Amino acid sequence: MSKPAVNSFFVGRALAEGLYEQLGNSLSNVLSELGKFDAEQKEHLRKFTEQVMERAYQEVATVVTDSDFPSSNREPVDLQATIDELRAEVAELRSELQQYRNRTV
């Protein structure tokens, strides 16, 4: 074999090894970037989901608060006065119920 043929063989071999390494590095970089992108997208999705759930919980709290306690946004309620009013209504209803029973008997 001639010396140029041997040199060409080793040059071709070195070129193939270099291209193989470059291809390997490029593939690693692409896969790494793809992994980063996937992780970022999952994080964005997680944050978005948390924001949506937080808004939903706030809406539920607002609706429950407004419907259960309609006066809570207006002014504080005197609980003792409310209890007294409810007792008076119960007493009035008992009285009316007793009168109704007495009429039907």
Side-chain angles (χ1 to χ4, degrees):
M1 269 204 229
S2 66
K3 195 159 182 125
V6 173
N7 286 340
S8 296
F9 171 75
F10 285 109
V11 168
R13 183 176 168 185
L15 178 64
E17 287 175 355
L19 290 174
Y20 182 74
E21 288 175 7
Q22 288 294 325
L23 179 64
N25 289 337
S26 296
L27 185 61
S28 311
N29 290 337
V30 166
L31 292 176
S32 174
E33 290 299 319
L34 184 62
K36 287 179 189 176
F37 177 76
D38 183 47
E40 289 172 357
Q41 292 304 313
K42 285 181 181 178
E43 182 65 18
H44 289 302
L45 180 61
R46 185 188 64 77
K47 286 181 180 179
F48 177 72
T49 303
E50 285 179 358
Q51 290 173 350
V52 168
M53 294 305 293
E54 182 64 31
R55 286 181 184 176
Y57 290 139
Q58 288 174 353
E59 288 291 323
V60 167
T62 301
V63 168
V64 168
T65 301
D66 290 346
S67 64
D68 289 347
F69 309 104
S71 64
S72 65
N73 294 334
R74 296 180 205 142
E75 59 187 47
V77 176
D78 182 13
L79 291 179
Q80 188 59 47
T82 304
I83 291 171
D84 291 342
E85 289 174 12
L86 290 173
R87 285 182 179 160
E89 287 180 23
V90 168
E92 183 181 344
L93 289 173
R94 283 184 180 168
S95 173
E96 289 179 18
L97 181 61
Q98 187 63 36
Q99 289 174 2
Y100 177 78
R101 287 181 182 163
N102 288 338
R103 277 186 256 152
T104 58
V105 174

